[in-house]
Amino acid sequence: MTQLRQVEPMLATSGKTKDKWNNEDWIAEEKLDGSRYICQITEEGNFFTSRRKSTETGRLVDKTGNVPHLSNVDLKDFAGTILDGEMRHKDFSKTISVMGSNPDRAIEVQEENGYIDYFVFDIIQYLGKDVTDEPLFKRRILLKEVLNTIIARAGHRHFRAVNDAEVDKKQFYKEIVKNGGEGVILKHLDGKYSEGSRSRNWIKVKKSVTEDVVITGATKPTIYYGGKNKSTWDYWIDTNEGGVFIKDKDTTVEELEINDCRPITKHYYKGWIGSIKYGMYIDGELVELGQTSGINEKMKKKLSDGEHGIKEEYLNTVMEIKAMEQMESGAFRHPTFVRLRPDKDPKECKLEE
């Protein structure tokens, strides 16, 4: 089997947009709410890897088996080409069901609900040549050639292009949000592709809502550290004894691993919480709706009881969250913590019909 190149996708950042809407050096692409995947076209088929690394192998998770309708398309004449895009089912909840399952379950979900689409918005390698140093406007020409061929081949409709606009970009954004979409990515046409990095050449612009909700508890943090700085990482655990400790400066990582020690997250070592659980009142009863991210270390320290739980004094108090949208179920999509609201009565946090 072909040894896949480990490609971590470039990420967008937040930034000022006022001077970009009417600037011809920038385009707007629809920001899709899906799952990010790299597609590598080879003589043996098309392989799809996520941006997440396996804790067992350290390699990017391969989900090729979940999408045989995409991986088995004959694209041998484009072997050596690498695409960047988003997996997205017409029903967002099915995107997670398909890409987060094992292959058998993923195929079963698609046979029942329709097949997932791969929306392509960039090209990283073309016929074996790295094109990340080429400006976006040149990469778009290559990408159009590849996509037109794929789409024309037997009318294949599951490889798709992302909608974009070169003029009237602000109106394009407003129409997307009006129709229930997530927003846009503003992209500089001269920008290069920086693998695994956040780039100011891609600026994300998303809709959002804010709401006051009631704190109902907390989740535990991720235990094991999976970052790139293991050699200088301070926080470790002895998996045999279960004790956590600070690595001695004279002890090597190799010595620790031989003794079955593993690096752990700072949050786990400190006894801090992971996410804050929250809810709202429905017909007089407090109903849990989800959990929120985006909590900085200072706030986690303030809220945590040292045992990975939340201090009792903060339970059933109010916090403000920001999210992409509130869905019909009452749950929020991609909620993040904004601030505590000690001035607010929890009973006022009601989910209206």
Side-chain angles (χ1 to χ4, degrees):
M1 174 182 164
T2 300
Q3 182 72 12
L4 297 181
R5 175 178 157 189
Q6 295 293 283
V7 180
E8 296 185 47
M10 185 167 93
L11 304 176
T13 187
S14 300
K16 296 180 179 179
T17 62
K18 185 176 180 181
D19 61 338
K20 298 175 177 61
W21 293 111
N22 296 316
N23 189 327
E24 62 183 14
D25 292 331
W26 291 79
I27 63 165
E29 283 186 357
E30 181 174 5
K31 187 180 188 306
L32 298 175
D33 190 11
S35 292
R36 188 79 172 274
Y37 276 82
I38 295 294
C39 171
Q40 301 198 37
I41 301 172
T42 76
E43 295 280 353
E44 300 168 28
N46 314 313
F47 295 86
F48 294 87
T49 53
S50 78
R51 53 188 287 194
R52 182 173 63 86
K53 287 187 176 181
S54 167
T55 55
E56 296 180 2
T57 67
R59 293 178 64 81
L60 298 169
V61 174
D62 189 327
K63 288 290 185 176
T64 303
N66 291 36
V67 288
H69 65 294
L70 298 170
S71 60
N72 293 332
V73 178
D74 184 1
L75 301 175
K76 290 186 179 67
D77 41 339
F78 284 113
T81 297
I82 300 177
L83 307 175
D84 187 2
E86 201 89 11
M87 292 288 186
R88 188 171 184 266
H89 194 279
K90 59 185 178 182
D91 178 347
F92 172 76
S93 66
K94 298 298 186 296
T95 303
I96 304 302
S97 298
V98 172
M99 302 313 298
S101 304
N102 61 44
D104 288 342
R105 176 56 182 159
I107 293 169
E108 180 182 333
V109 170
Q110 291 175 97
E111 288 177 343
E112 293 175 356
N113 301 281
Y115 288 89
I116 203 166
D117 294 322
Y118 184 55
F119 287 83
V120 189
F121 50 73
D122 215 323
I123 185 166
I124 297 168
Q125 190 170 292
Y126 178 72
L127 301 178
K129 179 185 176 183
D130 188 308
V131 295
T132 54
D133 280 339
E134 296 289 344
L136 176 60
F137 76 89
K138 288 188 177 180
R139 298 200 308 275
R140 281 165 60 85
I141 294 171
L142 295 175
L143 180 60
K144 185 175 181 180
E145 175 192 340
V146 175
L147 270 181
N148 284 347
T149 301
I150 294 174
I151 293 170
R153 189 159 297 171
H156 200 280
R157 66 187 184 279
H158 294 295
F159 279 91
R160 302 181 63 178
V162 176
N163 293 327
D164 61 34
E166 297 183 16
V167 296
D168 297 328
K169 294 185 281 287
K170 194 65 173 283
Q171 185 60 35
F172 177 68
Y173 163 74
K174 291 179 178 179
E175 287 297 322
I176 288 172
V177 171
K178 179 181 177 181
N179 293 325
E182 187 178 35
V184 299
I185 302 288
L186 294 173
K187 296 186 175 183
H188 199 293
L189 286 169
D190 285 329
K192 298 179 180 180
Y193 191 102
S194 303
E195 290 185 31
S197 301
R198 289 197 180 274
S199 173
R200 294 187 180 277
N201 289 318
W202 288 7
I203 307 295
K204 54 187 173 184
V205 187
K206 301 192 297 183
K207 64 177 181 178
S208 64
V209 296
T210 59
E211 186 61 88
D212 291 327
V213 295
V214 181
I215 297 173
T216 59
T219 65
K220 291 184 177 181
T222 300
I223 298 177
Y224 294 112
Y225 171 74
K228 299 178 180 180
N229 301 319
K230 188 166 63 173
S231 62
T232 58
W233 194 249
D234 289 332
Y235 311 104
W236 291 73
I237 187 170
D238 185 330
T239 58
N240 292 320
E241 301 296 330
V244 299
F245 60 93
I246 294 284
K247 181 177 80 69
D248 186 280
K249 64 179 181 179
D250 296 323
T251 304
T252 66
V253 170
E254 290 73 19
E255 289 172 326
L256 291 171
E257 292 180 334
I258 288 173
N259 290 292
D260 295 325
C261 296
R262 292 182 63 181
I264 57 174
T265 63
K266 179 180 179 180
H267 294 175
Y268 186 81
Y269 177 84
K270 296 284 188 179
W272 295 342
I273 60 174
S275 301
I276 303 175
K277 296 180 180 179
Y278 65 87
M280 298 181 77
Y281 280 91
I282 303 176
D283 296 329
E285 180 181 355
L286 182 58
V287 177
E288 192 167 289
L289 295 174
Q291 58 195 49
T292 181
S293 60
I295 316 156
N296 62 35
E297 289 191 350
K298 183 178 179 180
M299 184 57 64
K300 285 197 174 188
K301 181 179 180 180
K302 178 178 181 176
L303 297 176
S304 301
D305 63 5
E307 298 292 334
H308 306 123
I310 199 163
K311 290 177 182 174
E312 189 171 350
E313 65 193 88
Y314 292 106
L315 287 174
N316 298 313
T317 62
V318 178
M319 67 177 178
E320 181 182 341
I321 62 172
K322 181 170 70 172
M324 281 175 49
E325 64 177 323
Q326 187 172 21
M327 297 177 283
E328 290 186 7
S329 65
F332 293 86
R333 182 172 291 182
H334 302 318
T336 57
F337 174 84
V338 176
R339 58 176 173 150
L340 297 175
R341 291 293 308 270
D343 57 313
K344 189 80 178 281
D345 183 346
K347 295 289 186 180
E348 296 178 22
C349 302
K350 299 177 181 180
L351 181 63
E352 304 294 345
E353 292 294 334

